Amino acid sequence: MSLKGDWEIVGEVAVTYRKRYYVESPESSTVRQVQTEIDDLKQIMVKNIDSLTSRGERIELLVDKTEDLTNQSTQFQRQSRELRRAMFWKNIKMYLMIGAIGFAIFWVILSISCGGISIPKCRS
């Protein structure tokens, strides 16, 4: 055997011994326990970050919907004001037409009962 091969065997034995020491020693179980706790904590933090991200996305969605509702309510208010004005003037026109027709009917009845358009019988 060569000197290099002997050192490789010694190195392998040392690595095996160190592995066994860290696996079997009480200090390594504490290290393992701490490492497990760190891994668990890491998983919890990843879940928290994911939930915060999804919560942020939901908040952004709510903000967008709120802006849409605000725009729609402003548009609805403007359209309802325009419709109210249009209906007001339509009603005014209808009342004027009914009044004109009522006056015309009244004039016709008065003219018939008083002898004509100039109402000669009703003047004296």
Side-chain angles (χ1 to χ4, degrees):
M1 247 188 200
S2 69
L3 188 60
K4 185 177 181 180
D6 291 338
W7 282 110
E8 286 178 4
I9 294 173
V10 170
E12 289 177 16
V13 170
V15 168
T16 305
Y17 176 74
R18 275 191 231 139
K19 285 182 182 178
R20 187 177 302 146
Y21 172 76
Y22 285 117
V23 170
E24 295 174 359
S25 73
E27 296 160 356
S28 71
S29 66
T30 305
V31 170
R32 239 181 302 148
Q33 183 180 6
V34 169
Q35 185 65 37
T36 303
E37 289 177 10
I38 289 173
D39 290 341
D40 292 343
L41 185 62
K42 182 180 172 184
Q43 289 175 352
I44 291 170
M45 293 304 293
V46 167
K47 286 180 185 177
N48 288 342
I49 290 171
D50 288 342
S51 67
L52 282 175
T53 304
S54 66
R55 181 175 181 234
E57 291 170 355
R58 289 192 312 257
I59 288 174
E60 287 179 21
L61 182 62
L62 284 175
V63 167
D64 291 343
K65 286 182 179 182
T66 303
E67 289 174 357
D68 289 344
L69 283 174
T70 302
N71 293 336
Q72 288 176 0
S73 68
T74 304
Q75 183 180 7
F76 175 78
Q77 187 177 19
R78 183 178 44 81
Q79 287 176 344
S80 64
R81 190 179 314 123
E82 291 173 1
L83 179 62
R84 184 175 54 229
R85 287 179 185 155
M87 293 304 294
F88 171 78
W89 287 112
K90 186 176 181 179
N91 286 338
I92 293 295
K93 289 176 189 176
M94 185 179 66
Y95 291 144
L96 289 175
M97 291 179 81
I98 290 173
I101 291 171
F103 180 74
I105 291 173
F106 172 73
W107 184 258
V108 168
I109 292 173
L110 184 66
S111 296
I112 291 173
S113 63
C114 290
I117 294 179
S118 61
I119 313 173
K121 291 182 185 176
C122 294
R123 287 190 186 187
S124 48

